[in-house]
Amino acid sequence: MSMVPAHRTVLLQEAVKALAIKSSGIYVDGTFGRGGHARAILERLGPDGRLLALDRDPQAIAAAREIADRRFSALHRPFAELAAAARESGCTAVDGVLLDVGVSSPQIDEGERGFSFRFDAPLDMRMDPTQGETAASFLATADVQKITEVIRNYGEERFAFQIAKKIVAARSERPLATTHQLAALVREAVRTREPGQDPATRTFQALRIHVNQELEQLALALPQAVDVLKTGGRLVVISFHSLEDRIVKHFMREQSSDMLPEHLPLRSAELPLPRLRLVGKPVKAGDEEVAANPRARSAVMRVAERLDGGPARRAA
């Protein structure tokens, strides 16, 4: 097993402060990771407080179960099943939900998981290795058009078509099974790249997002988080990619507006009520945190507070 650097939780103090933790409150950490946020929340909870943690990664749940605290429980569930998990745990009305979206540092740094081209490993990339399609399986069966769409849409890679053609041509000779095989193919197809960035970076990111359905999971989780919040409860979301942040920003703006339906007139009782109030401006990591942990550079935290509105509006 590869040596794994100590995990640094991004925007730790900022996120915990944004939750406005009450001593006897109930909170959901939808992305336990290695427990940085969870432990900080527990430190601020009183004896009657409660924290439920979720994670789709079995290794993260194994780490969570090392916490011996009667106020704490953990479930092996993706945050896209947040509402069901909350019901199972008796947390149907909570004071705060935290989502720290995207891949975690341990997943990247554990070479055998296949998330990084820094290690030669099986091309897996699943956050939950017990289910779903691996990156290798997807690349073995998808056609040029589908591979191009994934790499272009999720990696914002302008050489997506050239990379897809390389992959399909190469797999006819031998299976594409390892991270180093894929990285080498991408480097052959991508002749120019931003200084300091490996040509394979965008492709690996795109495949990871696709394999784990990360954007779809986030879009499913956000309205569920609003549904389980009490009036005055806080929703705190940290994202690390512009595609994720766009989903969060649009959702929070939509839920905090009082947009009128297309079909008018309406009675006053039928007018839509905003479900959220935006709290502050987006927060980014400071220079000191970025210097200590470069992965914090792209982090954006958005915060909203639950109002006494109706059911959360789902995106079309």
Side-chain angles (χ1 to χ4, degrees):
M1 181 176 290
S2 55
M3 295 297 291
V4 181
H7 175 58
R8 290 191 176 100
T9 303
V10 175
L11 293 172
L12 174 59
Q13 300 303 326
E14 293 87 345
V16 174
K17 180 180 179 181
L19 284 170
I21 292 174
K22 303 172 184 176
S23 176
S24 59
I26 302 173
Y27 296 87
V28 177
D29 180 355
T31 45
F32 179 83
R34 289 303 180 268
H37 288 121
R39 288 182 175 86
I41 293 169
L42 286 169
E43 287 175 2
R44 289 159 177 79
L45 286 178
D48 296 325
R50 187 168 178 200
L51 173 63
L52 168 65
L54 310 177
D55 208 294
R56 64 197 299 192
D57 188 332
Q59 293 186 18
I61 292 302
R65 287 175 178 156
E66 293 177 1
I67 297 178
D69 191 319
R70 66 176 183 79
R71 303 169 300 167
F72 177 75
S73 58
L75 291 177
H76 180 209
R77 301 284 285 272
F79 57 53
E81 299 175 12
L82 190 152
R87 283 195 302 272
E88 286 177 23
S89 304
C91 301
T92 53
V94 308
D95 296 281
V97 175
L98 171 64
L99 301 177
D100 185 356
V101 183
V103 69
S104 70
S105 294
Q107 289 168 334
I108 295 172
D109 293 328
E110 292 165 358
E112 63 272 16
R113 302 294 297 273
F115 286 100
S116 174
F117 47 79
R118 291 188 289 121
F119 312 97
D120 194 16
L123 198 54
D124 193 314
M125 296 194 186
R126 291 173 298 170
M127 291 178 179
D128 183 351
T130 67
Q131 60 181 315
E133 182 181 45
T134 66
S137 178
F138 168 70
L139 294 177
T141 57
D143 59 20
V144 169
Q145 180 180 350
K146 180 61 177 177
I147 297 172
T148 299
E149 288 174 358
V150 167
I151 297 174
R152 179 184 293 137
N153 294 344
Y154 297 151
E156 299 175 300
E157 170 61 74
R158 58 195 175 106
F159 295 104
F161 178 63
Q162 291 89 332
I163 295 168
K165 285 199 303 180
K166 279 275 187 186
I167 288 169
V168 172
R171 78 187 186 196
S172 65
E173 299 180 8
R174 64 169 179 158
L176 190 58
T178 72
T179 54
H180 279 189
Q181 280 180 276
L182 175 59
L185 284 176
V186 175
R187 291 174 190 132
E188 290 175 12
V190 178
R191 296 299 183 183
T192 62
R193 177 55 66 228
E194 299 92 332
Q197 185 180 86
D198 190 286
T201 299
R202 293 177 181 271
T203 296
F204 271 68
Q205 170 190 282
L207 290 172
R208 188 204 83 219
I209 290 173
H210 171 72
V211 164
N212 294 290
Q213 298 183 310
E214 292 177 34
L215 303 184
E216 295 88 347
Q217 292 269 319
L218 178 60
L220 287 169
L222 291 170
Q224 294 179 51
V226 176
D227 286 343
V228 302
L229 283 172
K230 298 176 182 176
T231 300
R234 293 284 181 92
L235 171 60
V236 178
V237 186
I238 302 171
S239 58
F240 290 82
H241 188 278
S242 59
L243 296 175
E244 298 165 346
D245 183 54
R246 193 175 305 152
I247 291 171
V248 178
K249 177 176 67 176
H250 288 173
F251 175 81
M252 287 187 173
R253 285 183 177 176
E254 178 192 68
Q255 297 292 319
S256 61
S257 72
D258 52 2
M259 295 182 300
L260 293 176
E262 295 179 3
H263 305 294
L264 296 174
L266 290 174
R267 298 190 180 102
S268 59
E270 297 173 325
L271 292 174
L273 296 173
R275 291 275 307 228
L276 294 175
R277 176 182 70 84
L278 301 182
V279 178
K281 296 180 179 179
V283 176
K284 296 187 177 183
D287 293 340
E288 186 175 338
E289 181 173 6
V290 171
N293 181 15
R295 288 175 184 164
R297 182 178 293 110
S298 60
V300 179
M301 183 180 79
R302 295 181 184 271
V303 184
E305 184 175 286
R306 169 72 190 267
L307 300 175
D308 188 17
R313 295 186 289 271
R314 266 62 176 175

